[in-house]
């Protein structure tokens, strides 16, 4: 399990989607299942970074279609938002 606090107050702060775009394509190649918790802005930079909702609706189904992470119970990759946060 990994936890990362994405910078929020910095001038070059990025939304969670920016981090997800880099991590999710690499996740299928790990030796262990990825359990990642990100804390930060969900929609603060929507003009630059995709929202987690967009990634959940586009990239996650694509990963499932390719059979990434499917277990015996049929569950594949999932993305779940606990809370939403906007840029200060």
């Amino acid at each position: 399990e990994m936890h990362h606090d994405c910078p929020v107050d910095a001038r070059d702060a990025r939304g969670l989607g920016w981090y997800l775009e880099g991590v999710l394509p690499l996740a299928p190649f790990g030796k262990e299942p990825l359990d990642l918790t990100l804390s930060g802005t969900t929609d603060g930079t929507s003009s630059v970074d995709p929202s987690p909702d967009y990634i959940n609706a586009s990239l996650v189904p694509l990963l499932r279609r390719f059979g990434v992470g499917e277990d015996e119970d049929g569950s594949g990759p999932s993305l779940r938002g606990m809370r939403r946060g906007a840029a200060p």
Side-chain angles (χ1 to χ4, degrees):
E1 182 176 329
M2 296 172 48
H3 180 80
H4 179 68
D5 292 318
C6 306
V8 179
D9 296 328
R11 188 176 63 114
D12 56 348
R14 303 301 295 254
L16 295 181
W18 187 80
Y19 295 93
L20 291 171
E21 279 184 319
V23 170
L24 287 180
L26 298 174
F29 301 103
K31 291 183 179 183
E32 299 291 327
L34 178 64
D35 185 6
L36 176 65
T37 302
L38 297 173
S39 299
T41 304
T42 54
D43 283 332
T45 56
S46 59
S47 62
V48 179
D49 303 321
S51 72
D53 294 325
Y54 176 78
I55 291 175
N56 196 28
S58 60
L59 184 58
V60 172
L62 183 63
L63 292 173
R64 284 191 188 125
R65 177 167 254 186
F66 281 104
V68 172
E70 286 191 5
D71 295 331
E72 292 85 30
D73 61 357
S75 67
S78 64
L79 180 63
R80 182 173 55 123
M82 302 291 283
R83 290 181 289 189
R84 301 200 177 273

